[in-house]
Amino acid sequence: MSDIPIYNADADRSLGLFDNPAWRAKSLEKAGLALVALAVVATVVALASDLGRQRPGLFAWLVFGGFGVGGVVFALGGLRRASGVRNDGKMFSSNQARGAVGWISGLVLTGLYVVLYFAPEALAGLIPLGDPLSRLLRDQPATVANGGQWFLYSTFYTLAVGAMGVRALVRYRHSRYHVVRTLSVVFFQTILAFALPYLLMRLQQPELFLHYTWPLDYDLFFPWKMEELRASGQLGVAMLIWGAILIAVVTPILTFYFGKRWYCSWVCGCGGLAETAGDPYRHLSDTSLGAWKVERWMVHGVLAAIVVGTAVLWVAALLDVGWLDAVAGTFSWLYGLIIGSIFAGVVGVGFYPLMGSRVWCRFGCPMAAVLGLQQRFFSRFRITTNGGQCISCGNCSAYCEMGIDVRWYAQRGQNIVRASCVGCGICSTVCPRGVLKLENGPRGDRATAAPLGAPALISELSILDGAMD
């Protein structure tokens, strides 16, 4: 479905969200949608008036309860349908095929992220809604001065992963792989990314994320951040040691045995949101060769930037050279703004309804780049294909959230050993002939794909393009 035009007029013959001849809402799904609509109305009222600040408890129940309970009730309505991905009518969905509803959703999401990052005071009516939970978890009120907008955001984020996680559990209930994988991302988001960091704050400890490390947690090894963690006590020092072990020891070992899926599809919060809330948009990823070339340059370019930038920061800190301090400071600010805020946040999630659910993971995440190189050249993971059974239906390519043209490999009977593959397994799930299998095995049996070693590395990074022909 990558040939869907950037604006799909065919999907807008009617602007009805559910004007799909193959899909009609069940009664339970209608009840869930009604609760979500109530939450939307309560959100708008809180934003446009002082009622949210005057009655934070009531509006917290209306907003968080409406979105959370409504999402779960809607998801449970899917139990009355057959499990698995349904293709019917996707091209006629204004929301899922870049129609007007999809564009409006993308613009609203992008606008919310812009406000969150650059004008949080505009959320003054909503931030108090997080106050009761903020006092419970981190023992302080939710205000702009103490990052209340981020507490509100992380609450919504966790709710989205949880509620849409129920949807994923219902939709893929026939597959134990997807059930366990979904439970895993919900657990890591709820416990390690949400509850634990705030409970540590309540105990007057640093806000730590045990499942993130450099280069995704880009400033973890910056000189000033290391000094801050060292000064915070034993827990801060332990976090630095754990971060070094995670990137230098745990990551290569787990990627060797399981590929990058152990992190991107099972642990990471960005991946968790993509696999749950982003699942309805996974077919919008561009599978063209041009997009692949752009992807390789961009994701490896971001990785190179953070590696070089971190080195410059340390040289500046150790040599105490005035002009180098200025360069290092400018780099730190620019990387945080362009990559950390605009790319990972605004574009990474705001563009779900337009470019698919893995825009950040595919084009910008430096952690995905590290894991991808390890997976490509040093891992036992691959997707095996049985080309003789392939009927070229294209389901595998259509639903690959990383934009891999899986069918191209399946038609040729080639195992898929790609740096970008996050091992979500949907390509295998939607294959009607059982052509694709996710496997771990001896590296020597991995591929019919490309040779290992320096030539393959040069080819992978598109360095000296054409020189290897």
Side-chain angles (χ1 to χ4, degrees), residues 92-134:
F92 301 101
S93 167
S94 186
N95 179 37
Q96 293 178 278
R98 296 193 187 120
V101 175
W103 270 93
I104 291 171
S105 300
L107 290 173
V108 169
L109 274 174
T110 303
L112 286 175
Y113 270 90
V114 169
V115 170
L116 180 68
Y117 277 102
F118 304 109
E121 60 278 2
L123 301 174
L126 274 182
I127 291 173
L129 273 58
D131 199 58
L133 189 57
S134 175

Side-chain angles (χ1 to χ4, degrees), residues 8-52:
N8 184 10
D10 289 338
D12 286 329
R13 287 177 297 177
S14 166
L15 290 181
L17 268 172
F18 308 108
D19 185 27
N20 181 340
W23 194 91
R24 288 289 181 271
K26 307 290 186 185
S27 55
L28 203 56
E29 291 168 332
K30 289 178 181 177
L33 289 173
L35 288 172
V36 171
L38 174 65
V40 171
V41 171
T43 302
V44 173
V45 170
L47 266 175
S49 70
D50 285 334
L51 291 175

Side-chain angles (χ1 to χ4, degrees), residues 219-451:
D219 61 353
L220 179 62
F221 295 138
F222 284 4
W224 62 267
K225 184 64 177 287
M226 291 185 67
E227 179 57 29
E228 180 182 303
L229 287 173
R230 190 192 64 78
S232 67
Q234 293 181 348
L235 192 58
V237 174
M239 184 60 198
L240 285 172
I241 296 172
W242 169 243
I245 292 174
L246 189 56
I247 188 61
V249 179
V250 176
T251 292
I253 290 177
L254 291 182
T255 307
F256 173 77
Y257 283 106
F258 306 111
K260 67 192 288 186
R261 58 177 166 160
W262 77 268
Y263 190 78
C264 296
S265 291
W266 290 68
V267 172
C268 178
C270 303
L273 191 69
E275 296 298 328
T276 52
D279 186 67
Y281 305 110
R282 61 168 51 246
H283 57 284
L284 297 175
S285 294
D286 191 343
T287 58
S288 68
L289 184 60
W292 185 20
K293 290 181 177 179
V294 172
E295 167 194 324
R296 287 182 295 176
W297 275 105
M298 287 189 67
V299 75
H300 294 119
V302 172
L303 175 60
I306 189 59
V307 170
V308 173
T310 303
V312 171
L313 283 168
W314 271 105
V315 171
L318 294 173
L319 298 184
D320 196 21
V321 179
W323 67 268
L324 202 53
D325 281 340
V327 171
T330 302
F331 164 79
S332 177
W333 178 77
L334 278 178
Y335 189 92
L337 174 66
I338 297 174
I339 305 300
S341 300
I342 296 176
F343 201 164
V346 178
V347 175
V349 179
F351 284 20
Y352 271 16
L354 305 177
M355 296 180 64
S357 55
R358 289 277 190 173
V359 179
W360 160 247
C361 312
R362 184 181 177 189
F363 295 98
C365 178
M367 188 69 181
V370 171
L371 291 164
L373 291 173
Q374 293 173 351
Q375 172 171 277
R376 178 71 176 82
F377 300 107
F378 309 107
S379 175
R380 294 158 53 91
F381 171 72
R382 73 275 201 168
I383 299 178
T384 59
T385 63
N386 180 359
Q389 292 294 314
C390 179
I391 57 174
S392 301
C393 66
N395 279 347
C396 50
S397 295
Y399 288 100
C400 177
E401 58 190 344
M402 296 302 288
I404 299 172
D405 189 359
V406 181
R407 179 175 58 180
W408 188 92
Y409 294 91
Q411 288 172 329
R412 291 160 178 76
Q414 289 189 9
N415 293 344
I416 302 169
V417 185
R418 284 277 294 271
S420 55
C421 177
V422 293
C424 67
I426 295 296
C427 60
S428 175
T429 300
V430 298
C431 178
R433 300 296 297 274
V435 172
L436 303 158
K437 290 183 179 177
L438 280 67
E439 295 185 1
N440 301 316
R443 291 183 60 234
D445 298 340
R446 286 179 84 204
T448 50

